[in-house]
Amino acid sequence: MSHLRPAAAIAALAALPLLAACSASVSVGDNGFDRSAFEERAVSEIDDDYANTGRTVSTYECDYPESEITTGTAFTCVADIDGAKVRTQIAITDDDGGFKLTTDDLLYDMPTVAKQLAQPVADQLGGSVTVNCGEDVKALTAGSTFQCTVVNDGGATRPLTYSVSAGGTNDRWEVN
């Protein structure tokens, strides 16, 4: 077993951090909180953050409280981005519909992770390798791990464990 290797450079390229914190506002109107306007604005903020990746929110569903939504109200919403479910925390910041959006999850593009891991893993093990982490996009929380497979020139395989850090800036990987 080899020791954990920092993956900060890999994470910077492979993780697609959703909005760490974003503030915006929507009209409250005469009849209270405008859910449709809120969702449209929240999705727009998320999509703007992903504009350079070509990824967009396909659905955005919120667990609205049963009580009136006013300053200080907090609730959770889930954005579906290419099949990955990214949880967002919403805090209403004022009676004019201002809100702060933060995320619980980071998106990882598995083919990009594999591509970025190939050279550092090859450097560690000696010789060229292929890394396979899957073909999908995953929403992951800090402290979670995922598995990849390392294949050397001779066809031998070894597992690789990738550990996700808060914000994706101190991710680590280990070839077992």
Side-chain angles (χ1 to χ4, degrees):
M1 183 179 295
S2 52
H3 62 287
L4 287 175
R5 299 284 183 156
I10 295 163
L13 296 171
L16 307 171
L18 193 57
L19 304 169
C22 170
S23 296
S25 63
V26 293
S27 173
V28 173
D30 295 334
N31 297 323
F33 185 76
D34 185 338
R35 292 178 183 193
S36 178
F38 158 73
E39 289 176 15
E40 183 178 310
R41 181 74 174 138
V43 167
S44 176
E45 293 294 328
I46 296 166
D47 283 346
D48 286 351
D49 195 53
Y50 284 109
N52 64 340
T53 69
R55 298 185 188 284
T56 59
V57 175
S58 59
T59 62
Y60 193 68
E61 298 178 1
C62 298
D63 184 18
Y64 292 109
E66 290 183 23
S67 60
E68 182 180 359
I69 296 175
T70 60
T71 300
T73 301
F75 52 94
T76 301
C77 299
V78 177
D80 183 305
I81 303 170
D82 287 351
K85 306 294 186 197
V86 176
R87 293 168 296 141
T88 62
Q89 301 301 318
I90 305 300
I92 303 302
T93 57
D94 60 53
D95 286 334
D96 292 326
F99 64 91
K100 179 179 177 187
L101 181 150
T102 56
T103 62
D104 294 333
D105 308 298
L106 292 174
L107 282 182
Y108 284 79
D109 180 288
M110 294 297 118
T112 301
V113 171
K115 182 178 178 182
Q116 297 301 319
L117 282 169
Q119 189 58 54
V121 171
D123 292 346
Q124 177 184 333
L125 299 178
S128 64
V129 299
T130 302
V131 179
N132 183 345
C133 298
E135 296 299 320
D136 54 353
V137 176
K138 293 184 180 180
L140 301 165
T141 59
S144 64
T145 62
F146 60 87
Q147 300 297 311
C148 301
T149 302
V150 177
V151 181
N152 69 16
D153 284 339
T157 64
R158 292 175 73 178
L160 179 145
T161 301
Y162 193 101
S163 301
V164 177
S165 68
T169 57
N170 292 309
D171 291 4
R172 299 190 175 277
W173 56 270
E174 177 179 24
V175 177
N176 302 307

